Amino acid sequence: MNRREIRSPALVELESKAIPYRLFIHAGPITSLEQAAAERGQAPNQVVRSILFRLAKDSFCMALVAGSSQIDWRGLRRYLNQSRLTMATPEEVLRVTGYLPGAVSPFGLPAPLPVLADPNVFEPDEISLGSGVRGAAIIIKPQLLIATLSDLSIQPLIKSQG
């Protein structure tokens, strides 16, 4: 896979908005967050996971979480005013985002979707996110998320340490 072969709605959105980013292409399959970070020359907390949650039958939201941080489910339910929520199935992820699990990006979504980001996403100078294509990642300044994602809300989403 080379850079010219990679096209996704995420990359199209960033390019159409003139948002600066770098595309990183892994040499082979990725089996862990730590491997992805190491190959990208990053610390694990610079790798941002885009996690899709189902709130109701056809209601979803995305959470951006850095590294291996664990979601605070109780806090997320309270913030979303939901008594129940679940992680989306792989089929729902593809249907709602247009991306396969492991390649999900908050950019280039087919329809507007609320996106929540934990504050720790904004701590590093640069982060990497799904590009919409497995084996490739978008490397970007985290502050550009705020400029690019109109439905972004910054909320504590992870369990506190201790």
Side-chain angles (χ1 to χ4, degrees):
M1 173 167 44
N2 68 50
R3 293 183 196 292
R4 281 183 236 158
E5 293 174 341
I6 297 179
R7 290 302 313 144
S8 75
L11 301 177
V12 169
E13 177 179 353
L14 292 174
E15 290 166 9
S16 72
K17 293 180 177 178
I19 303 294
Y21 73 93
R22 288 185 293 121
L23 185 65
F24 182 89
I25 301 172
H26 290 276
I30 299 301
T31 58
S32 71
L33 180 123
E34 292 76 17
Q35 175 196 359
E39 289 184 11
R40 296 171 193 171
Q42 296 183 322
N45 71 324
Q46 290 177 275
V47 177
V48 175
R49 297 176 294 140
S50 302
I51 305 169
L52 189 68
F53 290 93
R54 181 175 4 94
L55 310 178
K57 185 174 192 259
D58 276 318
S59 178
F60 296 87
C61 78
M62 183 179 290
L64 304 180
V65 182
S68 59
S69 299
Q70 297 297 307
I71 295 279
D72 176 2
W73 285 78
R74 179 180 292 159
L76 184 59
R77 282 193 308 269
R78 191 173 345 151
Y79 173 75
L80 295 169
N81 197 25
Q82 297 286 315
S83 60
R84 193 165 177 262
L85 67 121
T86 59
M87 288 179 65
T89 66
E91 295 78 17
E92 290 170 327
V93 169
L94 180 59
R95 179 174 54 82
V96 173
T97 69
Y99 303 126
L100 292 169
V104 176
S105 180
F107 305 117
L109 298 171
L113 182 67
V115 178
L116 309 175
D118 190 82
N120 68 359
V121 166
F122 301 93
E123 291 173 4
D125 289 336
E126 75 173 14
I127 57 173
S128 57
L129 299 149
S131 67
V133 176
R134 284 187 177 166
I138 292 168
I139 298 179
I140 192 169
K141 301 279 183 201
Q143 295 75 16
L144 294 174
L145 291 174
I146 297 167
T148 309
L149 299 174
S150 60
D151 287 331
L152 180 67
S153 176
I154 301 169
Q155 295 295 321
L157 299 174
I158 62 171
K159 290 182 182 178
S160 59
Q161 306 299 330

